Every structure is written in C-alpha cells, then in structure tokens.
C-alpha cells in the first residue's frame, strides 16, 4: 500500500513542471535563495529553514549537485558534481582547513555549524577555484560580515527536539553592535542517541554529542577601514559510525582569524580584504566500544594549518575584476597502534600519514566583462605552486619499501582557467562555459600507508609518483520564467585525465584482518562524469505553489567500469502553502534504482525509494519578541530504505517527529 501511495503521489507531481530558483539549487523548502550568476550563495537564514536548528549537513543536502556521503548520523562528507572531497576545494570563509582523519570521518563541514555562518557559496567546476585548485568545484562556508549597525544588544534562543534518536538541540546567540564596534557570541549543542531506521530498527553506534561556540568582534578604524577577529571552537565526542569498524572518541577543532577590510565605493579599487589565519584539528578514532574486534586499535590524527589571503575587487566601465593572492602551510600526521589480544605480544605502531608538510602559494584572477545590457563574458585563471614534504623518517622509509627512489619532497605546479558566456532578458536567460583545471593528489592518495577502506574491504597504499589529475569541463544553463512559471535546465560534463583511483595489487598482503587485499592508488587514463537537472515551479496564487526537479547523473572510466558513488536518477516534488505567519509544505523525494553501480570498486545495487516529508511553521509577535515555531514529520510513512550515498548500505532514518522553537528579542 505504501509503494502504491508513493507511486501515485509521484505521478501526480510529475504532471506539474519542475522548478529552481537559481543556477545550482532547487527550492526544496521555504529557504529563500539568492540568485548569483554561475556560482551559488545559499543564505543561512535559519528561521526560514524547515528546521530552525537544521544541521549544516541537512542544509547542504538541499542542493541539486551536492550529495552528502553518510557513514553515520554525523559528519557527512559533501560530494559536488559526484566528486568527493579530494576533488573539491572546501574552505571556511576562504581559509584552508584539512581534516585529521584518514577515513574521512571529519570533513571540513563537520567543524562549523549553521550558527557560525552567513551563507554558503558553491561554485561548480572551475568556477569554484577562487580559494584553491579543484576539478569538481568549490564550497566556501562564509562567516557573517562586519556588523557596524548601531543596533544595540540583540539576543536569540533556540530549542529543538526530535523523537528519532531522542535528539536534543539548544542554541544561544548574543550580539552587540554600535557604529564603531561589534561583538557576536553564539553557541550550539547537539546530542543524539542511536537513531531508528524504518520499522523501528535501531541502528547501533549512531549516537553523537557535539558543541560549537564562536566569538566574532570588529572595530571600525575609519570610514573605509575596519578590522575584525573570529574564533570558533568545535568539539564532538562519543561519535558512532555504524558503517565503519571504528568510532570516534573525540574530534576537536580551533579555528582563528584576523581580517582587515578596506571599502570605498567611489574608488576604482572597491574593496581590499586581507586575512591571516590558523586552525588546528585533533581527531581520535578508537574501537573500545565495539565488542569482539579481532584486534584493538587507536588511530589519532592531527592537522595544523597556517595561511593567509589578500583579495581585491576593481571596477572600470565594463570590467569587474577580482584578484586573490593566497597561501597556506599544513602539517598532517596520523598514527595507528594495534594491541594484540595476546598480552605477551608487543603493540604494533606505524604512521598512516608520515607527518606530511604541504606548502602552497597561488594567485587567482577573474574578470566579468559586460558586453552590453544583456550579455556578459566571464574569464578566470588560477596558478599555484604546491609542495609536499615527508618529515617523519620512519614514514619515509616505510614508503620506500614500495618506491625505493622516493625523495622526501615533491614539487608541483598547478593551473586552471574557465570562460563563461551569459545572456539575460526579462523572461529567459542562458549561459554556457568551458574550463580546465588540475589538482594535486591528496595526502592519503600520495602518502597513505595501509589505510583500510570498509567500502570495498581493501587496504590502500599511497603513490607519491602520481601525476596531477586534470579535468576538461563544459557546462550549460538555461532558464525561462514569468510571473507564475519557471522552467530551467542545468548540465555539466567532465573529462578527467589521469583519474586517481585504487587498483588491486596481487603481490602484497593486507594488514587489516579479513581484508580482501591491497590496493595501490594509481591513475586510469581518463574518466567521464555527466550531470543534468531539470527544474520547474508554478505559483497558483500568492500563497500556493508547486516545484519539483528531475536529475540524471553518469560516471564511467576508460576501463569501461562505472565510477563509484554516482547518484542515480533522482526526483523531488513539493507543494507549498504560506500566509504571513504560517507555512506548510509537503515533499516527496527519492531515487530510482542504482542500476549502474560499480561492483569493480566495491559498490552494490540499491533499490528505488520514495520518502514523504511534512513541515510546518508559525511566527508569533509580541511587543519586544518574535517567536518562530517549526514542526513536522520526516519520512512520514516510516519507509525502510538505503541510498547510494549510505556507506555500506546503512539504513537511513525512519519516521521522525520534530519541533523547534526560537525566541528573538526585537
């Protein structure tokens, strides 16, 4: 009966058109999106979200071309254009920060929260290289700008509860602003027990606890000059990962920065922003809460990054020029200690990341040239120098077992460029572009030592001799819209040379007990990835609207094998009704069968699914306060399902009732 209901609901929605509010994001809830040419900025107005206290992971998952890879109920890994973090540039307010976990259990997005951020800027492909080299694109999690508003003291309190997992959230924000000085402090706390999949099946080791606090302050030096400083401290404890053989006892980050701002709208140089920053991460994996493991292990990791950037914007008659000079120095170190069950045997120790130091310096330039009132031409370039150095002698000697001539350092030169043409009129617009980009291998791909991948059950060894990965891309976007109707299509194609992926080697034995073998990171000649989304929306009245989207993705290597973790056919449909102080939305979202799965790389088929969600919201006002109430039901039919992005087929969350309330002092 449930399947019949979902099928009929799907047919009903597909009878309508499909909609999108900007280039890359579909309107999946009541969030208002900013329209930005080519790259996207999602405003993090949490009072407009379906949940006031929605996590950053949930927020990012609203995008068409972002998929969140889930190894548990916490710290999902973003993938953009069906490419994971190695192929992306993920930054926090332009700052480079690198995870300290060899198993990617701590993506950069896990060390900030929605309370820290003003917006998220997403650039597809080479459009996303403002802050660093990538082949898939860039995600910049942007902090709030300076706030010299003379608005005095403002306070807000947020509370939330969800039945699935007994999930509790609380947040507090305090801000004081004058004409010359401002200070903002906020904190958020989240705690969840094990969640239940559909049909009330408990998913063990899916609990987590986390808190995040931040402080941002600034001083107006003069009419055109200001300086501000920010500190973010984030710590998660007792984090379970049901899709992995280990959990995390602690994941801790300190993120600091000092920034100078210059703005002068009447001058050719409109703005100049210079930032220096430091961040440090400590991440500790352990299996102490897992019963009957073959051998106990501790796997701590550390990542420290020092960096800077200086970026400016210049305007002339037809040119809008942006420049960004940036650099960073990173230290990545990870260890593994194995404790045999036989107490008479000594513990075994090795470096899984042998203290890799990465030095990078680069320059980025972009020019938006206005041809006429309807046409613009945008070009961008980035050049950079990238150096890796192994500083731990034992780690170097371990890798020299496989690469006898290996030096302790490797220099690389990286480049990228893109060109885009855009045409806009009142009721329609379109754009198309091409690009080329390069990236260096990640620390794991180049220097990882016996890293176990539970996805395909192989140990991985890095390859310092890998070539730069290179991507040629083409993209196209077209939109038609009038007062009530919108129709849009967006597509991208990537041809990636020297595509880095693990290949089985038969002459090595695995170190992990029960592993199927060992893979060396290597490169196939090329791979192709194609993405396409059709979106539309229709407004029946000022209060009632419908929007939906269809997505198709494809990825294959030159060895004729499907690439892993490529999103299957997907769909989304939503009915919205809203009044001044009330809104309600009914959503249907799902995927088709994952028929083009990659058995060669350890993937298996996942069946089709469809999930219904219902969310509602109310706003109440008193003389000095505003109250926002958000409530609803996720997975309304308690469907038991797993998606292609659920690592090792862990089931997704079942039915969940939630309520969030926020009080804002006006």
């Amino acid at each position: 009966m449930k399947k019949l209901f979902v099928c009929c609901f799907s047919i009903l929605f597909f009878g309508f058109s499909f909609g999108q509010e900007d280039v890359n994001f579909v309107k999946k809830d009541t969030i208002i999106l900013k329209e930005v040419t080519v790259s996207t900025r999602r405003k993090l107005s949490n009072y407009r979200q379906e949940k006031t206290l929605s996590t950053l992971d949930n927020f990012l998952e609203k995008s068409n071309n972002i998929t969140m890879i889930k190894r548990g109920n916490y710290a999902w890994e973003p993938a953009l254009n069906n490419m994971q973090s190695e192929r992306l540039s993920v930054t926090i307010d332009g700052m480079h920060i690198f995870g300290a976990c060899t198993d990617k259990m701590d993506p950069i997005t896990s060390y900030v929260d929605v309370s820290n951020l003003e917006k998220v800027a997403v650039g597809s492909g080479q459009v996303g290289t403002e802050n660093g080299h990538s082949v898939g694109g860039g995600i910049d999690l942007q902090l709030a700008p300076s706030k010299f508003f003379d608005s005095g003291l403002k306070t807000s309190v947020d509370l939330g509860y969800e039945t699935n997992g007994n999930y509790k959230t609380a947040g507090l924000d305090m801000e004081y602003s004058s004409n010359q000085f401002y200070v903002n402090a906020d904190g958020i706390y989240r705690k969840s027990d094990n969640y239940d999949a559909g049909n009330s099946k408990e998913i063990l080791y899916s609990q987590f606890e986390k808190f995040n606090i931040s402080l941002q302050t600034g001083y107006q030096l003069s009419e055109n000059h200001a300086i501000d400083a920010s500190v973010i401290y984030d710590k998660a404890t007792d984090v379970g990962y049901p899709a992995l053989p280990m959990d995390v006892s602690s994941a801790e980050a300190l993120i600091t920065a000092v920034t100078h701002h210059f703005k002068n709208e009447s001058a050719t140089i409109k703005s100049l922003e210079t930032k220096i920053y430091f961040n440090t991460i400590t991440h500790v994996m352990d299996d102490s809460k897992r019963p009957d493991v073959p051998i106990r292990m501790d796997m701590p990791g550390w990542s420290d990054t020092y960096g800077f950037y200086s970026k400016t914007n210049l305007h002339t008659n037809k040119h809008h020029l942006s420049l960004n000079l940036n650099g960073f120095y990173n230290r990545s170190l990870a260890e593994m200690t194995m404790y045999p069950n036989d107490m008479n045997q000594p513990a075994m120790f090795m470096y899984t990341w042998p203290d890799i130091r990465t030095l990078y310096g680069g320059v980025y330039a972009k020019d938006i040239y206005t041809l006429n009132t309807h046409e613009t031409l945008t070009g961008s370039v980035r050049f950079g120098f990238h150096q890796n150095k192994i500083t731990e002698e034992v780690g170097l000697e371990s890798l020299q077992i496989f690469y006898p001539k290996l030096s302790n350092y490797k220099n690389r030169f990286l480049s990228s460029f893109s060109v885009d043409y855009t045409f806009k009129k009142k009721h329609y617009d379109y754009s198309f572009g091409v690009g080329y980009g390069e990236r260096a291998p990640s620390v794991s791909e180049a220097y990882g030592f016996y890293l176990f991948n539970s996805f395909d059950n192989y140990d991985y060894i890095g390859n310092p001799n890998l070539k730069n990965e290179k991507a040629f891309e083409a993209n196209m976007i077209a939109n038609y819209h009038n007062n009530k109707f919108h129709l849009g299509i967006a597509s991208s194609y990537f041809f990636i040379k020297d595509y880095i992926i693990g290949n089985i080697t038969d002459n090595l034995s695995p170190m992990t007990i029960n592993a199927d073998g060992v893979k060396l990171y290597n490169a196939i000649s090329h791979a192709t990835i194609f993405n396409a989304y059709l979106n539309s929306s229709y407004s029946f009245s000022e209060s009632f609207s419908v929007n939906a989207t269809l997505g198709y993705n494809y990825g294959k290597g030159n060895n004729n094998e499907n690439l892993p973790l490529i999103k299957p056919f997907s769909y989304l449909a939503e009915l919205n009704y809203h009044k001044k102080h009330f809104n309600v939305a009914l959503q249907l979202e799902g995927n088709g069968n994952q028929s083009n799965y990659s058995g060669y790389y350890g993937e298996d088929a996942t069946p089709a699914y469809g999930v219904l969600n219902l969310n509602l919201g109310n706003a109440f006002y008193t003389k000095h306060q505003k109250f926002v109430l958000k409530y609803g039901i996720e997975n309304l039919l308690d469907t038991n399902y797993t998606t292609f992005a659920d690592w090792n087929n862990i089931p997704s969350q079942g039915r969940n009732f939630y309520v969030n309330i926020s009080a804002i002092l006006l």
Side-chain angles (χ1 to χ4, degrees):
M1 186 67 184
K2 289 181 181 179
K3 291 183 178 179
L4 178 62
F5 183 84
V6 170
C7 181
C8 293
F9 199 87
S10 176
I11 292 171
L12 171 66
F13 269 80
F14 292 155
F16 295 102
S17 301
F18 293 78
Q20 182 176 334
E21 281 198 343
D22 61 22
V23 171
N24 291 314
F25 283 92
V26 60
K27 183 183 177 186
K28 191 172 178 180
D29 52 33
T30 54
I31 300 172
I32 293 179
L33 310 181
K34 282 191 174 182
E35 182 178 349
V36 177
T37 305
V38 184
S39 70
T40 304
R41 293 175 183 267
R42 297 205 75 195
K43 178 74 173 178
L44 275 170
S45 176
N46 59 340
Y47 301 119
R48 292 188 176 274
Q49 292 177 232
E50 58 192 42
K51 292 181 186 178
T52 310
L53 293 168
S54 176
T55 66
L56 182 58
D57 290 342
N58 292 132
F59 184 82
L60 291 172
E61 202 172 30
K62 306 301 181 187
S63 166
N64 269 344
N65 53 359
I66 291 181
T67 299
M68 304 303 289
I69 309 299
K70 303 170 185 177
R71 298 170 173 86
N73 198 26
Y74 178 78
W76 302 346
E77 179 192 4
L80 175 61
N81 290 321
N82 289 288
M83 293 182 244
Q84 290 175 256
S85 52
E86 303 93 342
R87 296 182 168 89
L88 307 180
S89 170
V90 183
T91 51
I92 298 174
D93 209 37
M95 299 181 287
H96 284 268
I97 177 171
F98 300 91
C101 176
T102 56
D103 286 358
K104 299 202 289 187
M105 297 157 81
D106 68 333
I108 306 312
T109 48
S110 69
Y111 289 116
V112 288
D113 213 306
V114 291
S115 59
N116 306 140
L117 305 177
E118 171 75 7
K119 62 186 70 169
V120 178
V122 180
S124 176
Q126 295 312 302
V127 173
T129 59
E130 178 180 353
N131 298 308
H133 291 275
S134 69
V135 296
I139 301 173
D140 189 32
L141 311 169
Q142 298 184 355
L143 306 180
S146 301
K147 303 175 183 178
F148 303 106
F149 299 145
D150 197 22
S151 55
L153 181 64
K154 299 171 68 176
T155 306
S156 65
V157 179
D158 305 287
L159 296 171
Y161 180 75
E162 302 182 22
T163 57
N164 199 324
N166 190 31
Y167 180 34
K168 301 174 282 289
T169 315
L172 174 66
D173 184 277
M174 300 182 68
E175 176 181 297
Y176 173 80
S177 173
S178 69
N179 287 329
Q180 282 194 302
F181 173 77
Y182 79 90
V183 60
N184 177 271
D186 66 71
I188 196 162
Y189 172 79
R190 303 179 185 274
K191 188 179 190 307
S192 176
D193 300 332
N194 292 332
Y195 73 85
D196 290 340
N199 300 323
S200 301
K201 179 184 177 182
E202 183 182 7
I203 305 302
L204 298 176
Y205 313 113
S206 60
Q207 80 289 338
F208 71 89
E209 186 172 10
K210 168 205 174 90
F211 70 88
N212 176 288
I213 56 176
S214 71
L215 178 68
Q216 187 175 4
T217 185
Y219 184 76
Q220 188 82 36
L221 300 172
S222 65
E223 181 181 356
N224 303 118
H225 294 268
I227 189 168
D228 62 35
S230 62
V231 178
I232 299 173
Y233 178 73
D234 187 282
K235 186 171 184 178
T237 56
D238 189 26
V239 183
Y241 289 85
L244 302 176
M246 299 188 73
D247 301 313
V248 170
S249 59
S250 175
E252 186 177 18
L254 178 66
I255 304 165
T256 65
V258 177
T259 311
H260 172 263
H261 304 271
F262 166 81
K263 291 184 178 181
N264 189 344
E265 292 299 325
S266 62
T268 301
I269 298 179
K270 302 296 183 183
S271 67
L272 176 64
E273 180 179 308
T274 302
K275 184 193 297 283
I276 57 174
Y277 61 88
F278 166 72
N279 54 71
T280 180
I281 293 175
T282 302
H283 187 273
V284 182
M285 286 189 284
D286 73 66
D287 54 9
S288 60
K289 295 189 177 182
R290 297 293 181 99
D292 303 323
V293 296
I295 186 169
R296 296 286 180 185
M297 290 187 291
D298 288 332
M299 297 183 65
W302 300 268
S303 175
D304 302 324
T305 307
Y306 305 81
F308 79 96
Y309 71 71
S310 185
K311 55 186 179 182
T312 184
N313 288 293
L314 303 90
H315 290 196
T316 62
N317 291 334
K318 291 190 173 184
H319 293 271
H320 181 176
L321 184 65
S322 301
L323 299 172
N324 186 344
L325 176 67
N326 68 329
F328 66 84
Y329 177 79
N330 171 259
R331 168 185 178 258
S332 292
L333 172 67
E335 304 171 350
M336 179 169 66
T337 304
M338 294 174 283
Y339 303 95
N341 294 325
D342 185 351
M343 300 298 293
N344 295 320
Q345 295 183 12
M348 294 174 284
F349 173 87
M350 69 180 185
Y351 290 103
T352 49
W353 284 346
D355 200 355
I356 306 301
R357 308 297 175 95
T358 301
L359 176 66
Y360 174 83
V363 61
Y364 170 86
K366 180 175 75 171
D367 184 23
I368 302 175
Y369 179 66
T370 303
L371 299 171
N372 52 54
T373 55
H374 301 298
E375 297 173 287
T376 58
L377 190 65
T378 303
S380 69
V381 295
R382 171 171 277 281
F383 298 103
F385 170 76
H386 181 281
Q387 182 189 79
N388 287 133
K389 185 176 181 180
I390 307 173
T391 58
E392 182 52 60
E393 189 67 26
V394 174
L396 174 62
E397 292 171 353
S398 298
L399 286 170
Q400 285 175 335
I401 297 172
F402 310 104
Y403 310 101
K405 297 182 180 179
L406 176 64
S407 169
N408 70 332
Y409 71 93
K410 178 78 172 181
N411 294 332
R412 300 174 185 270
F413 293 93
L414 303 170
S415 62
S416 69
F417 73 86
S418 67
V419 178
D420 294 274
Y421 169 82
T422 301
F423 182 90
K424 281 191 176 185
K425 281 211 167 183
K426 182 178 180 181
H427 294 298
Y428 67 92
D429 61 79
Y430 60 85
S431 67
F432 56 86
V434 294
Y436 168 82
E438 299 174 346
R439 71 154 181 118
S442 68
V443 171
S444 289
E445 290 169 334
Y447 303 102
F449 191 74
Y450 279 98
L451 307 179
F452 178 64
N453 184 343
S454 64
F455 187 78
D456 59 8
N457 207 46
Y458 277 81
D459 282 335
Y460 277 67
I461 295 174
N463 182 354
N465 300 321
L466 287 168
K467 297 179 181 178
N468 296 339
E469 196 173 79
K470 298 165 277 289
F472 301 86
E473 67 168 280
N475 57 76
M476 182 275 293
I477 299 165
N479 294 285
Y480 171 79
H481 39 83
N482 58 29
N483 292 333
K484 293 186 176 182
F485 175 70
H486 173 90
L487 178 68
I489 185 171
S491 67
S492 58
Y493 174 80
F494 296 86
F495 181 88
I496 306 173
K497 290 193 64 178
D498 299 316
Y499 185 89
I500 299 172
I501 202 162
N503 287 329
I504 298 172
T505 178
D506 295 325
N507 59 348
L508 296 175
S509 299
M511 185 172 294
T512 303
I513 297 173
N514 297 324
D516 291 335
V518 176
K519 287 186 177 182
L520 290 176
Y521 276 109
N522 216 318
I524 58 177
S525 173
H526 65 267
T528 56
I529 296 176
F530 175 75
N531 311 292
Y533 291 91
L534 177 68
N535 306 279
S536 181
S537 63
Y538 185 79
S539 298
F540 297 97
S541 66
E542 290 186 359
S543 299
F544 183 49
S545 64
V546 60
N547 63 79
T549 183
L550 287 172
Y552 173 78
N553 304 271
Y554 172 88
K556 183 166 283 192
N558 70 291
N559 55 3
N560 207 34
E561 297 289 346
N562 293 318
L563 299 180
L565 295 170
I566 301 295
K567 190 176 186 178
F569 169 80
S570 60
Y571 59 88
L572 164 74
E574 182 183 62
L575 285 171
N576 290 284
Y577 176 81
H578 65 89
K579 286 291 189 179
K580 185 176 182 181
H581 296 150
F582 172 75
N583 70 273
V584 59
L586 182 66
Q587 302 168 348
L588 169 68
E589 59 178 318
N591 286 349
N593 292 318
Q594 175 65 301
S595 54
N596 294 324
Y597 64 92
S598 175
Y600 182 78
Y601 296 114
E603 195 172 33
D604 57 11
T606 52
Y609 75 91
V611 174
L612 280 173
N613 303 309
L614 175 67
N615 60 78
L616 305 97
N618 296 86
F620 308 94
Y621 292 86
T622 66
K623 185 175 182 180
H624 299 292
Q625 291 90 24
K626 174 184 178 181
F627 295 92
V628 177
L629 180 66
K630 297 285 187 176
Y631 51 102
I633 310 172
E634 297 172 317
N635 195 350
L636 188 65
L637 302 180
D638 200 28
T639 303
N640 192 304
Y641 70 102
T642 185
T643 78
F644 82 104
D646 291 317
W647 199 262
N648 286 334
N649 299 325
I650 57 168
S652 293
Q653 192 177 75
R655 185 184 293 116
N656 180 40
F657 295 85
Y658 68 88
V659 59
N660 290 176
I661 187 166
S662 301
I664 305 101
L665 181 64
L666 299 177

